[in-house]
Amino acid sequence: MPASEMTRDASQTLDIPDSPVGYHCLNVPSWVSNPPIEAVVFAWGASEDHQLGLDTEDNIDSPKVVESLLGLKFMGRSFVGCPLIGGSRNTLAIDAEGGLWSWGWNDRGTLGHGHRELQRKPAQVEALAGVRIVQAAIGGWHCLALSDEGQVYCWGGNEYQQCGYVAAEDEPEQQQQDWQTSNAGTATAKSDPGLQNSVDSSGNGAVADGYCPGGGVNEVNGYVGSSNGANMGVLPRARDILVPRRCMPGLKVKQVACGGMNSVVLTEGGEVWTWGE
């Protein structure tokens, strides 16, 4: 598309397919949207935590083939989805079947393998077997992943509740939905450091407080709360989530992002929800 055709009056509504970025994302070559199995991953840079997947702690000055990923067919690049996600100390990859892979630093369970051991080479996250992941993000010590059904999964460090409201396996989703409904219409969100808050940006002023129903100790997040929502501390052994868990199950999400100690999601209804510090 000629540059002249990409110029648009600032007063006009910007339609993503007609924008320069949108045009290129929607017209990527087939080998980008549907990578062949012969696709090769190269890695270089700092490797002290094995975040390159090259099974070495030595820094790599020039690109090297990640041999452990040879033969893996990757998910294609889309407008929001990327098959490779690099963090400062760990890395994620999404294959063509929606399987999630991770490797590198893991002291906080950031890789989702159910342990805290360093992962020298890429390994599939078994806890997400059967779930088709379409997007993932890495924060400081936590990760988010989005399924093709709009469900968010979270794991890793959670001392600031950056993993959000995590649904226990024996907890019905309706409880989370009732919790959201009962908190809708609150005028302001609590913004105490370390406490989750979620904001509806649709313009109706609805805000949902991010405190777990009933208060007290949240065994998943590891927080001790009081009736007034004060953060009384973190239970050291409960603060990390070592395997992916469903996060904010009452929301249907289309995009996820992580900050160092916070998380952001965009729902299918156009709402932006945030939580963490």
Side-chain angles (χ1 to χ4, degrees):
M1 175 184 288
S4 59
E5 295 183 23
M6 295 183 180
T7 304
R8 180 180 287 269
D9 189 295
S11 63
Q12 292 180 291
T13 301
L14 183 62
D15 187 25
I16 287 178
D18 292 337
S19 70
V21 173
Y23 174 83
H24 288 297
C25 287
L26 294 176
N27 293 275
V28 295
S30 59
W31 50 268
V32 174
S33 60
N34 183 28
I37 197 168
E38 295 84 6
V40 176
V41 176
F42 293 83
W44 62 96
S47 188
E48 70 273 19
D49 295 305
H50 293 272
Q51 58 266 56
L52 302 183
L54 296 173
D55 197 18
T56 178
E57 296 180 358
D58 297 331
N59 292 340
I60 305 300
D61 296 329
S62 58
K64 290 189 65 174
V65 174
V66 183
E67 295 184 0
S68 54
L69 290 176
L70 291 175
L72 181 68
K73 185 173 174 60
F74 290 95
M75 177 190 80
R77 183 72 167 89
S78 65
F79 189 76
V80 296
C82 182
L84 292 169
I85 305 95
S88 62
R89 306 180 70 179
N90 34 49
T91 309
L92 303 176
I94 306 174
D95 64 35
E97 301 300 320
L100 188 71
W101 299 67
S102 63
W103 60 96
W105 183 82
N106 195 35
D107 287 3
R108 301 294 303 277
T110 315
L111 302 182
H113 295 305
H115 57 74
R116 302 176 188 272
E117 299 174 8
L118 190 76
Q119 187 69 45
R120 296 172 178 269
K121 294 182 179 181
Q124 190 165 6
V125 180
E126 296 297 335
L128 290 173
V131 178
R132 190 178 188 89
I133 298 300
V134 296
Q135 193 202 352
I138 301 177
W141 300 312
H142 72 295
C143 293
L144 296 181
L146 178 64
S147 77
D148 61 345
E149 297 182 346
Q151 174 62 59
V152 179
Y153 292 82
C154 65
W155 63 95
N158 195 39
E159 67 272 45
Y160 296 105
Q161 290 194 332
Q162 57 265 50
C163 287
Y165 182 101
V166 180
E169 293 179 358
D170 57 351
E171 182 176 44
E173 291 190 14
Q174 186 60 42
Q175 180 178 1
Q176 163 66 358
Q177 295 169 357
D178 292 344
W179 167 72
Q180 290 176 11
T181 303
S182 65
N183 282 279
T186 305
T188 57
K190 294 180 175 67
S191 57
D192 305 52
L195 296 178
Q196 173 190 338
N197 58 82
S198 300
V199 181
D200 174 349
S201 68
S202 61
N204 58 16
V207 176
D209 298 338
Y211 308 116
C212 295
V217 178
N218 181 325
E219 295 295 340
V220 177
N221 291 336
Y223 270 81
V224 181
S226 65
S227 59
N228 64 2
N231 175 19
M232 305 302 291
V234 180
L235 301 177
R237 289 184 296 178
R239 67 180 181 179
D240 297 336
I241 300 174
L242 302 185
V243 295
R245 303 289 294 276
R246 290 184 300 120
C247 168
M248 308 301 281
L251 298 179
K252 192 161 187 180
V253 175
K254 63 184 300 183
Q255 189 172 355
V256 299
C258 292
M261 297 179 186
N262 47 50
S263 302
V264 182
V265 301
L266 174 66
T267 71
E268 290 192 351
E271 300 171 350
V272 176
W273 289 68
T274 68
W275 56 88
E277 184 184 51

